[in-house]
Amino acid sequence: MNFHPFSGVLLKLFPILLIVLPLGGCSNHASSSVLSDLNASKLRHSRLFKSALHHQASNEQLSDIWTPLSNQGWKPFVESISASSSLPESTGYIQVFLDGGLNQQRMGICDAVAVAKILNATLMIPYLEVNPVWQDTSSFTDIFDVDHFVNILKDDISIIRELPDEYAWSTREYYASAIRSTRVKNAPLHASANWYLENVSPVLESYGIAAISPFSHRLAFDNMPIEIQRLRCKVNFEALVFVPHVRSLGEALVSRLRYPIVESIDAVGTKYIRQVIDTKDGHGAGKFVSLHLRFDKDMAAHSACDFGGGKAEKLALAKYRQTIWQGRVMNSRFTDEELRNQGRCPLTPEEIGLLLAAMGFDNSTRLYLASHKVYGGEARIAALRQLFPYMEDKKSLASSAERAKIKGKASLSAAVDYYVSMHSDIFISASPGNMHNAMVGHRTYLSMKTIRPNMVLLGQLFMNKSMSWSDFQESVIEGQRNRLGEIKERKPKQSIYTYPVPDCVCQQR
């Protein structure tokens, strides 16, 4: 059962930070009890953890960490992309079939619009494949506001929701059953615009329709016309908006994170935050950090790292690797020490908690946990929860009735997390991945603070079991300098969706 910190607490809002103090304050006895309870969770960094538990951030640290990014001289590019008010005659219909999770599919949608523009083709609303891990059958229209999508892009490309009757046969099932001449299945990774003109245009010319599958990561980031680059940005940052019920739930969660709240119990007995108290007393909104704790079983197994679970955990993860990837995991060739020295191991909940504490976040910080499922469950999260007891998630912030529409839908759940994370004061991810990359790009576009953990440094620091808290903190602060969302221009081969500068922005005059 999740501990909820809002029963019998005194709430006090300050302009800098939401401070939540248990009645009677903290005692040394309480802290020692915490440590004994955590022995079962197998702390890997107990020396640092004990220090972090008693550490208090200075007012200067708190002020610095919550201060928004300064103006960096760039602003989103908002001018019209199309040079003409009318679209050229369509060369045919383009279909794409997108696999992966929400954020990988999001990038595929942006690329699909770009390819349709390159080919002067009409885009059929992309088909989202069922993820084999999460088994989510959500379609494009289940996740994204299709009316908004079509309207924002109406001057750039033609988009249809259903194929004309003469092409109704062109379905996923049709392409799965045999080799079809209208399917393009040999698109190379990061293909050029010319590749599509040379290989897909003839299919459109012959049949009037082309279905591209697979399509993930099938369009290059380099040597693209600037209007195509800016169109990809427009799709990602303006056209892709979540459906109203996702936005509504997201808004409710953000509101309950920012303002003093009270606890309620829903029909099935689950505690959640229900009522937003009137805040006309002038205190203003509290601040919060969104933490994407990317530590599911897939990530843990694929990393091939040792997470301190002993022989049983190692065997379980090895068996999982064999089942899912037939043992073909490149990292498994390296030792745990080699992987950590290279920064290839995802941060555990305990380690991300120590990182946050070292950076100056104290135990009154409000955290939003944006994750689908954490490998190891509550036992794995226990150390993080003790360092940051005011950690919330969808379940603790909303009733089961409010969450009914996203229940069992991994993509919709991830969409809510995306929405809340885009409205947080600070975002941090425990390891690189599609959610991390999407957030870094979107928040950079809007000049929002985003912590990018220095994975190589942290891997090395956490292997030093004799390091003092002061040395650890000093190393972390120095190592995280200029990794708080400062703009970094995209380098060759890097994703425009992670590094939107300079393609998606222009310099302020």
Side-chain angles (χ1 to χ4, degrees):
M1 181 178 294
N2 291 344
F3 165 72
H4 202 291
F6 295 100
S7 294
V9 297
L10 177 64
L11 296 167
K12 186 176 182 181
L13 274 170
F14 287 90
I16 294 176
L17 181 65
L18 178 64
I19 306 295
V20 190
L21 299 175
L23 286 176
C26 296
S27 68
N28 291 332
H29 174 74
S31 296
S32 60
S33 174
V34 163
L35 289 174
S36 62
D37 290 342
L38 282 174
N39 286 336
S41 301
K42 297 183 180 178
L43 286 171
R44 300 202 75 193
H45 313 288
S46 57
R47 180 172 178 166
L48 291 176
F49 185 84
K50 291 175 184 177
S51 298
L53 203 59
H54 296 285
H55 169 70
Q56 290 295 322
S58 67
N59 289 335
E60 183 180 0
Q61 272 186 306
L62 289 173
S63 178
D64 287 346
I65 199 66
W66 290 109
T67 301
L69 292 174
S70 58
N71 189 317
Q72 299 178 77
W74 299 89
K75 64 178 181 179
F77 183 87
V78 294
E79 296 176 22
S80 176
I81 296 167
S82 299
S84 173
S85 58
S86 60
L87 296 175
E89 183 179 352
S90 175
T91 58
Y93 299 98
I94 288 290
Q95 286 178 286
V96 296
F97 300 87
L98 303 174
D99 54 16
L102 173 70
N103 294 297
Q104 183 174 322
Q105 290 172 337
R106 185 185 184 102
M107 293 183 284
I109 294 165
C110 299
D111 286 348
V113 171
V115 167
K117 182 70 173 178
I118 290 168
L119 298 171
N120 286 329
T122 297
L123 178 67
M124 169 67 182
I125 289 292
Y127 180 93
L128 307 186
E129 298 277 11
V130 176
N131 188 293
V133 176
W134 309 123
Q135 293 296 312
D136 188 349
T137 58
S138 297
S139 67
F140 183 104
T141 55
D142 291 328
I143 302 170
F144 299 105
D145 187 329
V146 68
D147 291 333
H148 179 85
F149 181 76
V150 172
N151 183 59
I152 290 294
L153 299 173
K154 67 181 185 298
D155 296 328
D156 301 295
I157 65 166
S158 177
I159 303 172
I160 58 171
R161 304 170 200 229
E162 292 183 0
L163 289 170
D165 289 344
E166 61 187 293
Y167 294 107
W169 48 264
S170 185
T171 64
R172 183 188 182 281
E173 291 71 27
Y174 173 76
Y175 294 108
S177 61
I179 296 174
R180 308 294 186 182
S181 54
T182 52
R183 178 184 174 187
V184 178
K185 62 178 182 179
N186 62 336
L189 290 172
H190 309 301
S192 66
N194 281 339
W195 188 92
Y196 284 95
L197 291 169
E198 293 170 2
N199 293 274
V200 181
S201 287
V203 179
L204 291 173
E205 190 174 322
S206 297
Y207 303 101
I209 190 168
I212 309 173
S213 176
F215 188 69
S216 295
H217 310 295
R218 260 37 186 209
L219 186 62
F221 294 118
D222 300 329
N223 302 314
M224 282 286 159
I226 188 61
E227 62 268 20
I228 295 298
Q229 296 291 67
R230 286 181 171 164
L231 178 57
R232 293 163 102 175
C233 305
K234 182 177 181 179
V235 181
N236 195 29
F237 302 131
E238 298 179 43
L240 286 175
V241 170
F242 297 122
V243 290
H245 77 83
V246 167
R247 301 200 305 269
S248 178
L249 178 56
E251 287 168 4
L253 301 187
V254 171
S255 179
R256 293 166 193 180
L257 283 160
R258 289 209 178 280
Y259 295 97
I261 35 69
V262 296
E263 189 179 84
S264 188
I265 299 178
D266 66 14
V268 295
T270 303
K271 292 182 179 180
Y272 71 100
I273 297 170
R274 178 181 59 84
Q275 180 181 352
V276 179
I277 298 173
D278 187 5
T279 57
K280 294 179 181 179
D281 55 5
H283 284 310
K287 300 182 185 297
F288 73 95
V289 177
S290 180
L291 165 61
H292 182 234
L293 195 55
R294 190 172 182 235
F295 200 78
D296 55 34
K297 191 171 185 178
D298 264 29
M299 164 60 78
H302 198 270
S303 72
C305 299
D306 179 5
F307 299 107
K311 185 177 180 180
E313 183 175 89
K314 287 182 181 180
L315 290 173
L317 293 178
K319 183 177 180 180
Y320 187 81
R321 278 194 293 275
Q322 185 62 39
T323 302
I324 302 298
W325 302 289
Q326 292 73 51
R328 296 191 300 269
V329 175
M330 187 175 65
N331 279 4
S332 60
R333 297 180 300 170
F334 301 95
T335 66
D336 182 69
E337 183 176 351
E338 289 171 331
L339 292 171
R340 293 187 182 279
N341 272 318
Q342 296 168 30
R344 294 193 186 188
C345 293
L347 298 177
T348 65
E350 176 190 356
E351 289 167 345
I352 200 75
L354 292 171
L355 168 61
L356 290 170
M359 292 186 70
F361 296 99
D362 64 15
N363 64 2
S364 64
T365 302
R366 179 68 52 79
L367 290 185
Y368 175 77
L369 189 59
S371 296
H372 181 71
K373 191 174 184 180
V374 175
Y375 177 60
E378 186 60 31
R380 186 79 73 178
I381 303 174
L384 175 62
R385 193 179 296 282
Q386 297 302 336
L387 288 173
F388 297 98
Y390 306 111
M391 183 170 68
E392 308 292 348
D393 57 20
K394 291 181 286 292
K395 189 174 181 180
S396 70
L397 290 169
S399 69
S400 55
E402 289 174 303
R403 293 180 280 111
K405 288 186 177 180
I406 68 169
K407 185 178 180 180
K409 302 289 186 180
S411 292
L412 289 175
S413 181
V416 173
D417 285 339
Y418 192 107
Y419 185 94
V420 174
S421 296
M422 279 305 301
H423 289 77
S424 65
D425 298 277
I426 297 172
F427 174 83
I428 182 171
S429 180
S431 63
N434 289 327
M435 175 69 165
H436 166 90
N437 294 340
M439 280 292 114
V440 167
H442 206 157
R443 291 175 68 91
T444 295
Y445 180 74
L446 297 175
S447 195
M448 302 172 72
K449 204 163 210 177
T450 307
I451 298 172
R452 295 180 298 111
N454 187 330
M455 300 298 287
V456 173
L457 171 70
L458 291 167
Q460 295 168 356
L461 292 180
F462 285 127
M463 284 194 294
N464 186 345
K465 301 301 182 182
S466 62
M467 179 172 276
S468 68
W469 175 255
S470 59
D471 287 344
F472 175 76
Q473 186 173 35
E474 183 180 342
S475 297
V476 164
I477 291 172
E478 180 59 33
Q480 290 297 138
R481 203 177 302 279
N482 299 322
R483 299 180 68 90
L484 301 176
E486 292 83 2
I487 282 179
K488 295 185 181 297
E489 293 196 28
R490 189 176 68 85
K491 297 176 182 178
K493 297 185 178 180
Q494 286 184 331
S495 169
I496 193 174
Y497 307 120
T498 308
Y499 300 96
V501 177
D503 304 89
C504 303
V505 298
C506 53
Q507 289 185 308
Q508 293 179 333
R509 299 190 178 104

